[in-house]
């Protein structure tokens, strides 16, 4: 029987690339997103046989638990959870609002906690272990300009990953994270635009602010990140837990 994965934020960008890669790897995939249109579009592209759309806001504990239950009811199992959904507001310090802070932490940090909690409950009910894989960022490894709130959430995700690796090991659950660099997705184009605008420059300047220090001298494709997640989702990473794999073309060395 196929293994089953849930990928949050799989309607577009990195999450969609991960869902696509996991289907190629032989998984059945629950495509969780708060945007029903992109979730359904993703499933149409991946095929209804291999993918199943569920709509939930990852910052809402009960919605996440219900969505996970629907995927387990549909595919009959759950082995891998990728907590990928995230938002990335550009926030020079003097512009940060309480609403922005609460929403961003609710999605990026809350989403990882609720997704991990629902994963733990389902793995336990199914009587086996599993793998939890969380999205952090190179901006969660080293401070980036203008990303106080976002960077804060992504540093938190690395901490939660380490803590849960210890807490869940006895249940046969590994917990790891991936830290993308500058990936060509709608999120990154938006950040580049905002950073450029704040400096009185254009989008290209904003992108280069982040891109200039990439050792491999190219921006990342979503598929570069999906390849690392494929490794973390598969048996070759069974002896790895609590780690963050940096997939950034060599921006940060740790
Ligand atoms: N793009 C990059 O360069 C980059 C770099 C480092 C880390 N990341 C991280 O990778 C992950 C994916 O980023 P991306 O670039 O693909 O972003 P994206 O904005 O292109 O896609 C994010 C997806 O998540 C969904 N989503 C957002 N909030 C949600 C919520 N509350 N509930 C359910 N779904 C929600 C969106 O609808 C969308 O489909 C994020 O966690 C992001 O922080 C991205």
């Amino acid at each position: 029987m196929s293994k089953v994965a849930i990928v949050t934020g799989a309607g577009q960008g990195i999450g969609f690339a991960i869902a696509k890669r996991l289907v190629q790897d032989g998984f059945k995939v629950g495509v969780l997103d708060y945007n029903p249109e992109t979730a359904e579009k993703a499933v149409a592209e991946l095929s209804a046989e291999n993918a199943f759309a569920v709509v939930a806001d990852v910052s809402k504990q009960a919605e996440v638990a219900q969505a996970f239950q629907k995927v387990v009811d549909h595919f009959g199992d759950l082995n891998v959870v990728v907590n990928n959904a995230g938002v990335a507001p550009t926030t020079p310090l003097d512009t940060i609002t309480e609403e922005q802070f609460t929403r961003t932490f609710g999605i990026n940090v809350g989403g990882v906690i609720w997704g991990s909690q629902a994963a733990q409950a389902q793995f336990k009910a199914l009587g086996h272990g599993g793998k939890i894989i969380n999205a952090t960022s190179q901006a969660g490894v080293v401070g980036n300009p203008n990303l106080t709130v976002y960077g804060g959430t992504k540093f938190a995700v690395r901490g939660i990953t380490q803590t849960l690796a210890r807490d869940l090991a006895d249940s046969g659950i590994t917990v790891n994270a991936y830290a993308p660099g500058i990936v060509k997705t709608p999120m990154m184009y938006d950040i580049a635009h905002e950073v450029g605008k704040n400096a009185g420059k254009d989008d290209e300047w904003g992108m280069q602010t982040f891109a200039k220090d990439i050792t491999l001298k190219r921006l990342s494709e979503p598929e570069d990140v999906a390849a690392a997640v494929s490794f973390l989702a598969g048996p070759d990473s069974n002896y790895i837990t609590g780690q963050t794999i940096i997939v950034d073309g060599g921006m940060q060395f740790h």
Side-chain angles (χ1 to χ4, degrees), residues 125-143:
L126 291 160
H128 58 62
K131 289 169 178 264
I132 296 172
I133 305 168
N134 300 323
T136 174
S137 166
Q138 60 80 27
V141 176
V142 131

Side-chain angles (χ1 to χ4, degrees), residues 180-197:
I182 312 297
V183 192
K184 292 193 244 166
T185 69
M187 171 185 284
M188 197 55 226
Y189 287 119
D190 183 55
I191 293 175
H193 172 74
E194 290 297 322
V195 169
K197 196 177 76 184

Side-chain angles (χ1 to χ4, degrees), residues 145-193:
N146 282 322
L147 295 180
T148 297
V149 175
Y150 178 74
T153 66
K154 294 302 185 179
F155 269 79
V157 169
R158 286 199 301 122
I160 291 165
T161 298
Q162 294 180 10
T163 301
L164 291 182
R166 293 197 193 279
D167 284 353
L168 303 182
D170 286 347
S171 309
I173 301 170
T174 61
V175 189
N176 291 294
Y178 55 98
I182 312 297
V183 192
K184 292 193 244 166
T185 69
M187 171 185 284
M188 197 55 226
Y189 287 119
D190 183 55
I191 293 175
H193 172 74

Side-chain angles (χ1 to χ4, degrees), residues 8-15 32-35 38 56-59 83-88 103 107-108 135-139 150 154 178-188:
T8 73
Q12 67 176 38
I14 294 169
L32 187 153
D33 208 287
Y34 65 2
N35 183 333
T38 56
D57 178 340
V58 297
S59 69
N83 291 311
N84 165 81
V87 290
R103 175 167 186 271
I107 294 173
N108 294 7
T136 174
S137 166
Q138 60 80 27
Y150 178 74
K154 294 302 185 179
Y178 55 98
I182 312 297
V183 192
K184 292 193 244 166
T185 69
M187 171 185 284
M188 197 55 226

Side-chain angles (χ1 to χ4, degrees), residues 200-220:
K201 308 274 171 100
D202 60 13
D203 293 11
E204 181 57 27
W205 184 91
M207 204 59 138
Q208 288 310 319
T209 304
F210 293 99
K212 65 180 181 337
D213 298 325
I214 302 175
T215 301
L216 296 181
K217 296 285 181 279
R218 69 168 174 86
L219 299 176
S220 172

